[in-house]
Amino acid sequence: MRTELHRQPASPLTTVRNLGILAHVDAGKTTVTERILYLTGAVHKRGEVHDGTTVTDFDSQERDRGITIFAAAVSCAWAGHRINLIDTPGHVDFSDEVERSLRVLDGAIAVFDAVAGVEPQSESVWRQADRHGVPRIAFVNKLDRAGADLDTAVASIRYRLHTVPLVVQLPIGSEDGFTGVVDLLRMRASVWADGRDTCEEGRVPAELYAEARRRRRLLEETVAELHPAALEEFCADSSVSERTLRAALRDLTRTGEAVVVLCGSAYRNRGIEPLLEAVVAFLPSPLDVPPVRGMLDGAVQERAADPAAPFAALVFKVNSTATGRQTCLRVYSGTIRKGDTVLDAGTRRHERIGRILRVQAGRHSDVDTAVAGDIVAVIGLKAARAGATLCAPAAPLVLEPPASATPVVSVAVEARRSTDTERLVTALARLIEEDPSLTVRTDPETGQTVLSGMGELHLEVAVEKIRRAQELEIGVGRPQVAYRETVARGVSGLVYRHVKQDGGAGQFAHVVLDTEPLEAGGEPDAGSGGDAGFVFRSTVVGGRVPQEYVRAVEAGCRDALAEGPLGGHPVTGLRVTLTDGATHSKDSSEMAFRAAGRFALREALRASAMVLLEPVAEVTVTVPDDAVGGVLGDLAARRGRVSGSTTRAGTAVITATVPLAELFGYATRLRSRSQGRGTFTSRPAGYAPAPKPVSPGAPAAR
């Protein structure tokens, strides 16, 4: 069988790897990407984040702030393979960029700081990758730093990410003396001399040989517990061969049962070659992942990664550039050529492909075709948005779009000059087209234009982008947070009769509702935005309310969720039960029952005991020991609840849950409390009861 397989020509898709680089902010994602591009010859000069010379952080704001803000795609070649890389942001405010990138990736490299291990945002992006089923390998970076410890970082991967880490390397030296790694599969050492970009291979140093053998044995035992073929060989020979280990590691990586762990120092260019070899060896090609699934006329259909199949692609990013609208997409099946006409399956609109680009972050090169497995950008599409499916007009298919997060912070924006108002409206429309996690609305009470996003930094970056791109002077109001309302104690048997007679056919609907918290006997399900935390059911018997009218009552109840009685905030964490009702032979209709459901639930909410919910964030603060007291006092003043504190090497790490509204301006306050030595990260942690309810008529947000 093996001989027959070798005789068959290999598909070019087996040599493609579509990867993302995932990590917490400042773990070294962008530096890893830059070293990969340099080592593969895609660039001829190493870019540095601190110098603002990196390829992927090409936006002026990214270079000014020294962080990745926008996901950037690049392409390179290694050992006969084409690697398409997406460098994703690490800051929590830009997690929606990570979400859209993961939707189109086949694998990922998770980068961890060798000193800090698994940090809060590392955990968040790991969970995002879990939801998408993206196989990963781990790279423990910054082994040259003081306090770096591979074993401690691996332990944090095991206990915080709940996965099985399979360490395949042993560091040679530590901290400033870190010079190379021992490959536990081949039992060979790779050493990087100062000033050299490539490694020298040789025997394992004598002083490390016994430790390397011990770790190799541990690796064999762990793999044998997880993989049947490795277990069979281990039982027969009391060891596992390199060939069997590689095959087992590939299988375990692709199924997600374990994660291969490598190590190095990207800044010093140490460990990147073995990382690339692991990418090629263990992460999947487009042929190794299941066929993409989509909907056609209500039925599920699959499209294999085949250039000859009907064309299907998913748009995951839209950029407005000086040369026009650039649409980034992942081709799942089929082939497109310059000049082809494609169908936007969601809007049923036909679009023409003007140009196809192989993207290198801020630069690009033209190609004539793109095939299944490619990640490319196209020019010429006028209306396709992020999440749109492009397909062959003769073979329509709708792919599942990436989920967009619910904005939690808002600011009011206005043009300083009245003559610039129209330009601001156009700029905002373009902005939300590029970033679906931003929303724009007009406040019905104040008439203000309100821009909403995922955090303070997210909105700051969005406003600055408009200022720089459009040269507009913009006024920005104080940030606001998105409150929610929920039911603490509901009502039973609320009766509502909707009767209207204006001549001719009238409207009649009679409903009886019960309301209660969604999680009976516990905290309400307040982590969802909008009506996601809402359940409707009917216990009406005897056909007193026909099924089509039951559905109309549910639709009316969902309408009523938009504004709660406390302050006009959306209602969540609610269960509504339709217990009884009555109809009229002539005057009852779906419209009448929808209106009855809406007005009945409004009355029920006014009669219920309501609780105001505010968004909270889990904050991790890292400060020197001598600043802990001031930081704890400041967190208490911000209504923070400290959940943990650890001390290591003169540094304290404090974890607390803090209302999001109290975090505005916290970075500046923390710097003053810690003499510029403190840092903090935050991530959304759902909603929690606010200290005081908002009375009717109060402002919608503080």
Side-chain angles (χ1 to χ4, degrees):
M1 180 178 290
R2 189 174 298 279
T3 304
E4 292 177 2
L5 286 173
H6 276 295
R7 287 176 181 170
Q8 297 175 356
S11 168
L13 290 181
T14 61
T15 63
V16 175
R17 299 290 185 273
N18 293 316
L19 311 174
I21 311 290
L22 312 173
H24 185 90
V25 65
D26 204 32
K29 298 180 311 305
T30 301
T31 303
V32 169
T33 306
E34 290 296 318
R35 296 303 183 263
I36 288 175
L37 294 178
Y38 177 71
L39 195 61
T40 57
V43 298
H44 302 292
K45 183 179 179 181
R46 289 183 293 185
E48 304 293 352
V49 173
H50 55 270
D51 292 336
T53 56
T54 59
V55 172
T56 52
D57 286 353
F58 60 91
D59 185 86
S60 59
Q61 288 201 72
E62 293 178 308
R63 295 184 171 180
D64 291 346
R65 299 173 187 271
I67 62 171
T68 300
I69 296 173
F70 310 106
V74 292
S75 184
C76 58
W78 174 260
H81 289 69
R82 188 174 80 249
I83 300 175
N84 298 318
L85 275 173
I86 298 181
D87 180 23
T88 64
H91 196 284
V92 64
D93 283 13
F94 308 103
S95 58
D96 203 62
E97 289 271 332
V98 181
E99 184 75 18
R100 284 182 275 127
S101 299
L102 283 170
R103 176 63 179 81
V104 299
L105 294 174
D106 300 326
I109 300 171
V111 181
F112 301 96
D113 188 317
V115 178
V118 176
E119 298 173 271
Q121 189 60 11
S122 307
E123 193 171 345
S124 295
V125 297
W126 189 273
R127 301 299 173 216
Q128 285 179 283
D130 279 342
R131 289 198 301 272
H132 289 278
V134 176
R136 280 140 282 170
I137 60 176
F139 182 70
V140 178
N141 191 27
K142 302 188 178 183
L143 274 178
D144 58 323
R145 284 185 59 194
D149 189 324
L150 175 62
D151 291 339
T152 302
V154 170
S156 70
I157 292 174
R158 177 181 292 108
Y159 295 115
R160 293 200 63 178
L161 303 182
H162 306 292
T163 188
V164 181
L166 301 174
V167 184
V168 297
Q169 292 177 338
L170 170 65
I172 300 175
S174 62
E175 299 183 355
D176 281 342
F178 171 69
T179 58
V181 296
V182 174
D183 184 344
L184 299 179
L185 299 181
R186 297 185 298 131
M187 291 303 290
R188 298 282 289 173
S190 298
V191 178
W192 287 265
D194 286 336
R196 294 183 61 112
D197 295 324
T198 56
C199 66
E200 293 182 2
E201 286 197 358
R203 294 181 177 179
V204 178
E207 65 274 15
L208 291 177
Y209 189 79
E211 179 64 12
R213 290 301 309 173
R214 185 187 72 82
R215 291 184 181 240
R216 165 63 183 254
R217 180 70 176 181
L218 180 61
L219 176 63
E220 292 176 359
E221 292 173 352
T222 307
V223 171
E225 291 176 359
L226 299 171
H227 195 274
L231 177 61
E232 183 178 348
E233 185 173 317
F234 187 81
C235 292
D237 303 333
S238 297
S239 64
V240 183
S241 66
E242 178 191 342
R243 180 178 179 181
T244 303
L245 267 180
R246 286 187 179 278
L249 291 174
R250 183 185 307 114
D251 292 342
L252 294 173
T253 298
R254 295 177 183 180
T255 60
E257 295 176 74
V259 57
V260 172
V261 181
L262 301 97
C263 59
S265 169
Y267 180 70
R268 295 194 179 186
N269 209 29
R270 294 172 183 173
I272 302 301
E273 290 152 289
L275 178 63
L276 283 168
E277 292 170 0
V279 163
V280 169
F282 304 132
L283 289 177
S285 72
L287 293 177
D288 297 321
V289 297
V292 68
R293 306 181 72 184
M295 298 295 294
L296 177 61
D297 297 330
V300 177
Q301 286 204 359
E302 292 186 346
R303 293 274 173 90
D306 181 359
F311 171 70
L314 184 71
V315 176
F316 67 93
K317 191 172 177 64
V318 176
N319 292 322
S320 296
T321 67
T323 56
R325 195 173 185 269
Q326 192 180 95
T327 307
C328 298
L329 51 90
R330 159 71 188 267
V331 182
Y332 282 101
S333 67
T335 302
I336 52 166
R337 297 173 178 82
K338 187 168 57 175
D340 282 355
T341 297
V342 297
L343 174 70
D344 184 332
T347 63
R348 312 299 295 181
R349 178 189 178 113
H350 288 80
E351 301 259 27
R352 183 177 179 276
I353 305 294
R355 297 165 62 196
I356 303 174
L357 310 176
R358 184 81 64 196
V359 179
Q360 290 288 80
R363 299 171 295 171
H364 58 261
S365 58
D366 284 79
V367 294
D368 293 329
T369 62
V371 301
D374 274 338
I375 292 178
V376 295
V378 297
I379 302 293
L381 305 186
K382 297 180 179 179
R385 305 280 297 267
T389 301
L390 303 179
C391 54
L397 187 73
V398 179
L399 304 178
E400 182 183 358
S404 285
T406 303
V408 294
V409 180
S410 304
V411 292
V413 294
E414 64 179 4
R416 295 284 190 190
R417 296 189 296 265
S418 59
T419 54
D420 289 336
T421 301
E422 289 299 322
R423 290 178 60 203
L424 176 60
V425 171
T426 302
L428 288 172
R430 183 177 297 173
L431 190 68
I432 62 174
E433 183 179 72
E434 294 183 5
D435 187 351
S437 61
L438 291 168
T439 62
V440 176
R441 63 180 176 85
T442 300
D443 190 300
E445 295 182 5
T446 64
Q448 291 179 309
T449 300
V450 179
L451 177 65
S452 303
M454 300 305 299
E456 193 175 5
L457 180 60
H458 189 203
L459 295 178
E460 187 181 320
V461 166
V463 170
E464 187 62 25
K465 188 172 184 178
I466 294 177
R467 284 175 175 155
R468 295 189 184 190
Q470 306 296 326
E471 297 183 353
L472 281 172
E473 294 185 19
I474 305 174
V476 180
R478 186 180 185 276
Q480 301 173 329
V481 298
Y483 288 90
R484 297 286 184 266
E485 297 177 26
T486 193
V487 173
R489 186 180 66 254
V491 296
S492 299
L494 185 134
V495 179
Y496 186 85
R497 290 170 62 88
H498 178 70
V499 181
K500 189 175 182 181
Q501 190 72 47
D502 293 331
Q507 294 184 27
F508 177 88
H510 176 93
V511 295
V512 182
L513 299 180
D514 292 348
T515 62
E516 60 184 327
L518 186 55
E519 293 291 329
E523 286 293 324
D525 181 18
S528 304
D531 64 352
F534 172 72
V535 171
F536 179 89
R537 62 182 180 180
S538 171
T539 59
V540 178
V541 295
R544 290 177 60 81
V545 180
Q547 190 59 39
E548 62 269 24
Y549 293 165
V550 171
R551 289 193 294 268
V553 174
E554 179 180 358
C557 288
R558 290 186 180 275
D559 294 341
L561 294 174
E563 294 183 3
L566 294 181
H569 315 290
V571 178
T572 188
L574 175 66
R575 178 185 285 110
V576 174
T577 304
L578 177 65
T579 60
D580 200 1
T583 62
H584 187 276
S585 58
K586 293 183 179 180
D587 292 345
S588 289
S589 64
E590 291 186 24
M591 181 174 65
F593 272 89
R594 180 163 186 162
R598 181 170 65 251
F599 295 128
L601 184 54
R602 286 181 181 175
E603 281 196 12
L605 292 177
R606 284 194 289 267
S608 301
M610 300 294 293
V611 174
L612 182 71
L613 301 172
E614 62 181 346
V616 295
E618 181 186 283
V619 178
T620 302
V621 186
T622 304
V623 292
D625 282 344
D626 57 8
V628 169
V631 169
L632 288 175
D634 189 44
L635 288 173
R638 295 173 185 269
R639 297 189 284 121
R641 299 192 307 274
V642 176
S643 56
S645 177
T646 58
T647 303
R648 181 182 176 191
T651 300
V653 179
I654 303 165
T655 305
T657 302
V658 185
L660 189 61
E662 302 289 349
L663 283 178
F664 298 130
Y666 183 60
T668 302
R669 187 63 175 269
L670 178 62
R671 282 194 291 269
S672 66
R673 291 274 184 178
S674 62
Q675 297 179 341
R677 296 176 294 167
T679 61
F680 86 100
T681 59
S682 66
R683 62 173 177 171
Y687 283 79
K692 291 182 179 180
V694 175
S695 59
R702 56 180 296 167

